[in-house]
Amino acid sequence: DQQVKQNSPSLSVQEGRISILNCDYTNSMFDYFLWYKKYPAEGPTFLISISSIKDKNEDGRFTVFLNKSAKHLSLHIVPSQPGDSAVYFCAASQGGTNAGKSTFGDGTTLTVKP
Amino acid sequence: DGGITQSPKYLFRKEGQNVTLSCEQNLNHDAMYWYRQDPGQGLRLIYYSQIVNDFQKGDIAEGYSVSREKKESFPLTVTSAQKNPTAFYLCASSRTGTRSNQPQHFGDGTRLSIL
């Protein structure tokens, strides 16, 4: 029972275009969502997050959109750059006794072609 | 420079042997976590600790053990009971384990292989 799903294992876009990475979740108790970026042989690094009380959060070229009714979030990268090529993980967390724990999706490998 | 240090980067284990993966952080974070990543898969939580001298099992704790005697250190032992230990192991920490909005900071991982 995977609570966080990234249905696209890979995505390829041209430099300068928009990259859209998608993530779906099933647990309505999740109240915070995070995106991490991972290069090969390194640990993931935090990219951007969004609280469940918001529907959009923007940080430079990165924007995350949250649709609570659809239990869906997406990460938009505009414009995409070759250095953005990496694996992107969606993660979700909740408060209460499970606070601090994050549930991760399987990741989407983004390739940005020059 | 604050961060998380995992050692060794590569580790080989013989059948029936226990091995311990080191994780040290100097970020003054309360919470620490161990994840396992298999090829093509996401991060699965093995153990986590929100405070010194306390830790909880994650989703795949069988065959693993941890200790949290110091705030800075959270070593993971892969025991002989773990029948499929070959994987990439990631350690992470966050400012507190009691709030859901704290991003985790990761080390660069240890790749464990069976000889």
Side-chain angles (χ1 to χ4, degrees):
Chain A
D1 177 25
Q2 198 167 9
Q3 298 186 64
V4 177
K5 292 184 181 179
Q6 295 177 255
N7 291 318
S8 297
S10 62
L11 175 68
S12 181
V13 300
Q14 207 66 34
E15 181 179 6
R17 298 289 184 96
I18 184 171
S19 295
I20 300 177
L21 294 90
N22 294 302
C23 179
D24 297 296
Y25 63 96
T26 57
N27 187 345
S28 57
M29 298 300 291
F30 289 141
D31 60 358
Y32 213 77
F33 303 90
L34 310 95
W35 285 94
Y36 292 84
K37 176 179 177 180
K38 183 183 181 300
Y39 292 116
E42 294 182 8
T45 55
F46 169 69
L47 191 58
I48 192 170
S49 62
I50 188 167
S51 164
S52 60
I53 63 173
K54 295 187 176 182
D55 54 19
K56 178 182 174 181
N57 188 28
E58 193 172 353
D59 183 1
R61 296 186 297 114
F62 302 91
T63 302
V64 56
F65 296 92
L66 175 63
N67 182 333
K68 279 189 67 177
S69 60
K71 293 190 176 68
H72 176 83
L73 63 154
S74 59
L75 174 67
H76 293 213
I77 306 173
V78 183
S80 301
Q81 300 173 354
D84 296 329
S85 297
V87 179
Y88 289 79
F89 289 101
C90 170
S93 61
Q94 63 186 85
T97 56
N98 287 319
K101 285 179 59 178
S102 285
T103 302
F104 287 79
D106 287 345
T108 296
T109 300
L110 173 66
T111 303
V112 180
K113 298 180 179 178
Chain B
D1 241 356
I4 297 183
T5 302
Q6 288 187 243
S7 61
K9 197 169 182 69
Y10 299 95
L11 186 58
F12 298 91
R13 193 191 91 169
K14 293 181 180 179
E15 294 283 351
Q17 194 178 46
N18 292 357
V19 291
T20 298
L21 284 61
S22 169
C23 179
E24 304 277 334
Q25 55 101 357
N26 61 5
L27 299 166
N28 199 32
H29 285 171
D30 290 312
M32 296 188 75
Y33 313 82
W34 274 106
Y35 294 91
R36 169 182 172 139
Q37 187 186 19
D38 293 286
Q41 296 189 28
L43 281 63
R44 292 185 291 166
L45 184 64
I46 305 173
Y47 268 98
Y48 66 107
S49 168
Q50 296 182 339
I51 196 170
V52 174
N53 291 323
D54 189 40
F55 48 82
Q56 288 80 40
K57 292 182 179 180
D59 301 317
I60 55 165
E62 186 175 350
Y64 300 97
S65 66
V66 293
S67 63
R68 186 86 187 278
E69 297 176 2
K70 298 187 301 182
K71 187 175 185 178
E72 304 79 23
S73 179
F74 192 40
L76 173 74
T77 297
V78 184
T79 75
S80 57
Q82 173 47 243
K83 296 308 177 188
N84 185 23
T86 297
F88 188 55
Y89 291 87
L90 285 161
C91 179
S93 69
S94 67
R95 289 177 69 178
T96 174
T98 56
R99 295 181 63 185
S100 61
N101 64 345
Q102 297 299 322
Q104 295 180 16
H105 299 251
F106 287 83
D108 283 340
T110 292
R111 187 165 297 281
L112 175 62
S113 302
I114 298 300
L115 288 177

